[in-house]
Amino acid sequence: MGTDDSLAEFLNQRFGQSSEVHSSHVKQLLTDKGARHADLIAQLNATQATTHETLANLFYSDTNEHISTDDASLVPKLADLETQYAALQTAVACTKGLVEAHNLDEKSRVGVATDIRGAIECYNQLIQLVSTTQDTVQDQLPEAMDRLKAYPARLYQHLFDIFAKDFRETLDALSWPTPLKPPYGFALTEIIQRFSKSLRHLLLLKSPRKNDDTQLAPITIMVEALSLRFRFHFESNKPTNRLDKPEWYLAHVRNTIGHHMAFLVVTVQPIVSDTLGDVSAKDAFIAGILENIWRKFQHTVPKILHDRGCLSHTIHEALLFDNSLIEDFDYHGMRVSDWILQTPTWFQTWYQAEKDFAQERYDEIITDLAAFEPHEESRSDNANKVQPTNSAVRVTNLIMNVTETYKLLPNVEQRLRFFITIQLGLLAQYHKRINTALDSFESLTMMRAVPVPGGLPDAVTGVVSSAETGGSLAAMRRLSRWWSSGRTIQDVTREMADEDFFLDMQYNVQENSSTVQSILADTTDKLPQLETFSDNTNFLSVASDCFQHLCQRTQKLLVRMMVKEWAQNARPYTRKWQLPPSDVASLDDLSTELYQPLQTFQISCGHVASTLPEADFSSLLQGVYLELEEWHLRNIIAPNRLDRDALDQLERDLELGLWKMGRRWVMKPENYMKKLKRAIAKGAS
């Protein structure tokens, strides 16, 4: 508006410089404006009287005469006068604000030497004055308001310099940053009192800028000396400044925090709480020191991105450091590891390095010629304990190491990525390795083997056919070791599923199903049952079930191997029952045709019993006896018409042969062959 522009020009002409604002000058202006204000008020009153008279004539006249041109012009004149009056009120408010601001500024500067609390109170009144004037003036006089806002900014800096100087002097008197531990000696009592006063003065002085994080300026001053020490040792040419030793500066910071914690809690925190309320001096102190680590990371991490060993070591130490701050100092502010892990390229580089490292370790484990040999250090005389293989033990250790790598990650998505793509990926590869070996074993061993010139050796195929060196015993030995490997991982994953960490992980899986599905879609190595995912899927339970299925399949193959071996060795015994009854008349203690199959059966059972725990072997033996029962029914009872003497001989062969041998491992193996017993009893009757 034209009137606002003229007022702004008027103020700019008279307050061209902030130094021109003097009490006498401003008072004279106020006097002039007061007289002008009175004239305008008189004109306004006269105009209002004329308006009332005109309106009365308009609404109460008996004639329909129109308003004259002179009367109609009163309305825009009135509007113009009201606009000028409002602009004048704004100018007056701004001018009064400038005068009052000048007085408060002068009063605070003069009184700070004798009355610090009074100086701070004047400063706070000045801030309130600026806020009130701003609400009144709003955006009408921007330049005048800028001059008004300059008062608290200049006064704040003036007071801050005075208080900060006094605070630094008290710190020097305390020999800061030498650690101070209460109770303090008599010599420090007076200095501590001075420190408390200067600390309180700085805390009471609030910045005029909104959202300005300078409430704990004294803590920042206290950290300055500590930051200087950090730079001296870890950001200079000193031997302590090494890229491969992040634990040195992390330990230095952790120890520094610990040394000063008592002073912060006992002396500083009560003053902060009394002045600012629920504000933690401890957290502010720790956050200030951690800025040194962030600055260090900014310079060092880009240099070690190509060195995956050093990068992994740095992040591992940062995670341990964060965890120690939480456990030792109950600090829940910004984590130093977040400064690395929240940078996408840095995290991706570290994640890929850890994944490649885990894959290399797994490849080394699985290609070892002794991968499925018994682990000597885990041998035990406990008959109920699984005897693990070298690969099972080493894969278990690798899985545990991966857990330690990402266990302390604060980000849920990052933890899920490690868990699904690396840990479950390794389990999927190991499951596939054993499952593929069983497929090859089943296709090669359960059929008649024909030697082929130039065939691949056992070290490459991973299987042993019954025609190779060692025969079926070597095949059962290999099956037993695969069973032990699968059972070891089955037990490990079942125990992991009950740990608190993985219970939380499962909760995160359910709460972040979309993220999990996205990660699974990008994962190449998956367990078979994870091809389809639902919110209730328990990953470790699925892994345990997959390896349990492997063990069950292996046990079935062992049963088939032992029964097949029995059937091959017992062919003469089968033919015996096909002879005429007269040739079966000799009733020996045990049929001689059973010596060879029983001897082989004893060796096979003894080997498997030495590998499997008692409960699992009992289950396997039950399966073997059930299959042998079917063999007797199919090859001896069904095709032959046996008389009473023959049935007695058959029962005697079972009692002195299979049943007697089975009592070495179970109490009543004959209970596994009840159908055969009933058939013999029925034929004898």
Side-chain angles (χ1 to χ4, degrees):
M1 294 176 58
T3 306
D4 291 343
D5 294 337
S6 62
L7 286 172
E9 183 180 358
F10 170 79
L11 290 172
N12 290 334
Q13 290 176 355
R14 288 158 176 77
F15 300 101
Q17 301 294 331
S18 59
S19 59
E20 295 177 6
V21 181
H22 300 292
S23 298
S24 57
H25 182 55
V26 173
K27 288 178 181 179
Q28 180 61 40
L29 289 174
L30 285 175
T31 301
D32 296 339
K33 285 299 178 180
R36 175 60 177 162
H37 179 264
D39 292 340
L40 289 174
I41 292 297
Q43 294 181 25
L44 180 61
N45 292 335
T47 304
Q48 287 176 344
T50 306
T51 303
H52 285 303
E53 182 179 356
T54 302
L55 291 174
N57 293 332
L58 177 65
F59 292 106
Y60 295 104
S61 176
D62 292 335
T63 63
N64 293 326
E65 296 179 356
H66 295 83
I67 302 175
S68 64
T69 304
D70 294 337
D71 292 336
S73 64
L74 292 176
V75 176
K77 288 183 179 180
L78 178 61
D80 184 57
L81 287 173
E82 288 180 341
T83 301
Q84 294 184 35
Y85 178 68
L88 184 60
Q89 284 184 319
T90 300
V92 170
C94 187
T95 306
K96 286 183 177 179
L98 287 169
V99 173
E100 184 65 22
H102 175 79
N103 292 336
L104 290 173
D105 178 83
E106 185 176 1
K107 183 178 179 181
S108 179
R109 290 174 182 269
V110 173
V112 69
T114 56
D115 184 9
I116 294 179
R117 291 294 185 93
I120 296 175
E121 181 62 28
C122 290
Y123 168 74
N124 292 333
Q125 292 176 9
L126 179 58
I127 294 177
Q128 183 62 37
L129 173 66
V130 173
S131 177
T132 303
T133 307
Q134 178 69 54
D135 294 339
T136 302
V137 176
Q138 297 183 356
D139 299 330
Q140 298 183 36
L141 300 171
E143 295 185 7
M145 282 306 304
D146 288 342
R147 296 188 180 92
L148 182 60
K149 293 177 182 177
Y151 274 102
R154 290 195 300 267
L155 181 58
Y156 170 80
Q157 191 61 50
H158 176 74
L159 296 177
F160 180 83
D161 292 341
I162 294 174
F163 296 163
K165 179 181 178 182
D166 182 58
F167 186 71
R168 287 188 172 91
E169 289 176 353
T170 59
L171 287 176
D172 292 340
L174 290 171
S175 300
W176 181 264
T178 301
L180 298 167
K181 294 183 179 181
Y184 311 110
F186 178 77
L188 291 179
T189 303
E190 182 179 353
I191 303 176
I192 291 294
Q193 292 176 352
R194 285 177 50 201
F195 169 82
S196 300
K197 289 182 180 179
S198 58
L199 172 63
R200 190 180 299 275
H201 294 158
L202 269 175
L203 294 174
L204 289 172
L205 186 65
K206 300 178 181 179
S207 173
R209 294 182 296 273
K210 294 183 178 180
N211 302 323
D212 191 357
D213 189 19
T214 57
Q215 280 190 321
L216 292 175
I219 303 298
T220 304
I221 295 174
M222 294 173 66
V223 171
E224 289 175 355
L226 300 173
S227 299
L228 185 62
R229 284 187 175 183
F230 185 93
R231 287 189 176 93
F232 177 79
H233 290 291
F234 305 107
E235 296 181 86
S236 64
N237 295 326
K238 297 295 179 182
T240 49
N241 183 16
R242 291 178 52 177
L243 290 175
D244 61 336
K245 293 295 182 180
E247 62 269 27
W248 286 1
Y249 59 80
L250 293 174
H252 168 80
V253 171
R254 183 168 51 248
N255 293 335
T256 299
I257 295 171
H259 292 158
H260 296 288
M261 190 53 56
F263 178 68
L264 289 168
V265 173
V266 174
T267 303
V268 178
Q269 185 60 53
I271 301 174
V272 173
S273 299
D274 182 56
T275 307
L276 302 178
D278 189 18
V279 176
S280 175
K282 165 182 65 68
D283 289 352
F285 181 80
I286 295 176
I289 294 183
L290 296 187
E291 290 293 332
N292 295 288
I293 298 179
W294 169 230
R295 187 178 61 253
K296 179 72 173 177
F297 280 166
Q298 285 182 309
H299 289 88
T300 59
V301 173
K303 297 178 181 178
I304 61 176
L305 289 176
H306 65 282
D307 187 346
R308 66 180 189 177
C310 189
L311 177 63
S312 297
H313 177 60
T314 299
I315 295 178
H316 177 68
E317 290 295 331
L319 291 170
L320 291 177
F321 174 81
D322 287 334
N323 190 58
S324 68
L325 292 186
I326 296 173
E327 293 183 352
D328 298 340
F329 307 115
D330 192 32
Y331 175 71
H332 297 283
M334 182 67 176
R335 299 167 179 255
V336 298
S337 58
D338 288 345
W339 292 328
I340 299 178
L341 302 177
Q342 289 183 0
T343 303
T345 54
W346 293 1
F347 168 76
Q348 185 61 31
T349 302
W350 173 60
Y351 163 76
Q352 192 61 46
E354 292 293 343
K355 186 177 182 180
D356 293 343
F357 176 74
Q359 187 62 47
E360 291 171 6
R361 286 284 309 278
Y362 174 79
D363 293 341
E364 178 186 343
I365 292 169
I366 212 65
T367 55
D368 189 351
L369 295 178
F372 291 98
E373 294 296 326
H375 189 253
E376 295 296 333
E377 297 180 4
S378 300
R379 286 188 178 274
S380 173
D381 296 332
N382 187 351
N384 294 316
K385 184 178 180 181
V386 178
Q387 302 297 322
T389 60
N390 291 327
S391 62
V393 172
R394 295 177 67 185
V395 167
T396 298
N397 292 335
L398 178 58
I399 295 296
M400 298 302 178
N401 289 337
V402 174
T403 302
E404 293 303 316
T405 299
Y406 77 91
K407 188 175 184 178
L408 298 177
L409 285 176
N411 185 277
V412 173
E413 182 179 352
Q414 293 174 352
R415 289 202 304 269
L416 288 173
R417 188 169 297 279
F418 269 85
F419 174 60
I420 295 173
T421 61
I422 299 182
Q423 277 189 305
L424 294 181
L426 293 174
L427 291 174
Q429 292 182 62
Y430 196 58
H431 176 274
K432 183 178 180 180
R433 172 66 179 83
I434 299 176
N435 195 52
T436 303
L438 291 176
D439 291 339
S440 301
F441 180 91
E442 193 169 11
S443 62
L444 294 176
T445 306
M446 291 306 171
M447 64 182 182
R448 185 178 181 130
V450 179
V452 178
L456 295 175
D458 168 54
V460 177
T461 62
V463 299
V464 177
S465 67
S466 59
E468 293 184 53
T469 304
S472 59
L473 185 61
M476 283 188 283
R477 182 181 298 113
R478 183 60 59 87
L479 282 173
S480 299
R481 292 172 182 174
W482 289 335
W483 183 92
S484 298
S485 301
R487 179 59 181 274
T488 300
I489 302 301
Q490 175 191 341
D491 293 342
V492 167
T493 51
R494 184 173 298 163
E495 292 174 1
M496 290 171 61
D498 294 333
E499 295 178 4
D500 291 341
F501 173 75
F502 288 103
L503 290 175
D504 291 339
M505 184 66 69
Q506 182 58 34
Y507 174 78
N508 292 328
V509 168
Q510 296 174 354
E511 293 295 313
N512 300 272
S513 58
S514 59
T515 301
V516 172
Q517 289 177 345
S518 175
I519 295 174
L520 282 173
D522 297 335
T523 303
T524 55
D525 298 315
K526 291 193 287 284
L527 292 166
Q529 297 182 22
L530 290 181
E531 294 296 337
T532 57
F533 167 75
S534 65
D535 294 347
N536 296 324
T537 301
N538 189 314
F539 285 97
L540 288 176
S541 295
V542 167
S544 181
D545 292 343
C546 287
F547 282 96
Q548 183 180 17
H549 176 73
L550 279 183
C551 294
Q552 293 172 349
R553 183 185 177 192
T554 307
Q555 283 187 223
K556 291 179 180 179
L557 288 175
L558 281 169
V559 170
R560 290 173 59 186
M561 280 288 300
M562 296 174 71
V563 173
K564 179 181 178 182
E565 187 177 45
W566 168 273
Q568 290 176 347
N569 294 327
R571 286 176 181 174
Y573 182 68
T574 304
R575 288 195 296 268
K576 169 185 175 178
W577 299 100
Q578 299 171 356
L579 298 175
S582 58
D583 293 339
V584 192
S586 60
L587 300 177
D588 300 326
D589 290 340
L590 179 69
S591 298
T592 56
E593 293 84 357
L594 284 178
Y595 289 165
Q596 178 62 32
L598 284 175
Q599 182 181 9
T600 306
F601 184 75
Q602 179 182 357
I603 294 173
S604 299
C605 287
H607 170 73
V608 177
S610 65
T611 305
L612 274 63
E614 287 184 357
D616 296 284
F617 177 72
S618 298
S619 175
L620 180 142
L621 192 63
Q622 180 181 6
V624 172
Y625 271 74
L626 289 174
E627 291 292 329
L628 291 177
E629 179 185 56
E630 292 295 327
W631 181 87
H632 280 83
L633 292 171
R634 184 174 59 254
N635 294 283
I636 297 177
I637 299 292
N640 302 307
R641 297 176 61 86
L642 302 179
D643 58 16
R644 185 180 184 86
D645 292 338
L647 291 172
D648 289 343
Q649 179 65 43
L650 176 59
E651 186 175 10
R652 186 179 296 107
D653 288 342
L654 289 170
E655 180 64 36
L656 298 178
L658 287 174
W659 294 350
K660 180 180 180 180
M661 185 177 296
R663 291 189 182 99
R664 297 182 180 183
W665 300 288
V666 294
M667 292 185 63
K668 293 183 177 181
E670 59 271 21
N671 290 342
Y672 298 150
M673 309 177 80
K674 291 182 179 180
K675 187 189 299 185
L676 179 59
K677 289 175 65 176
R678 286 195 297 269
I680 294 174
K682 182 178 180 181
S685 62

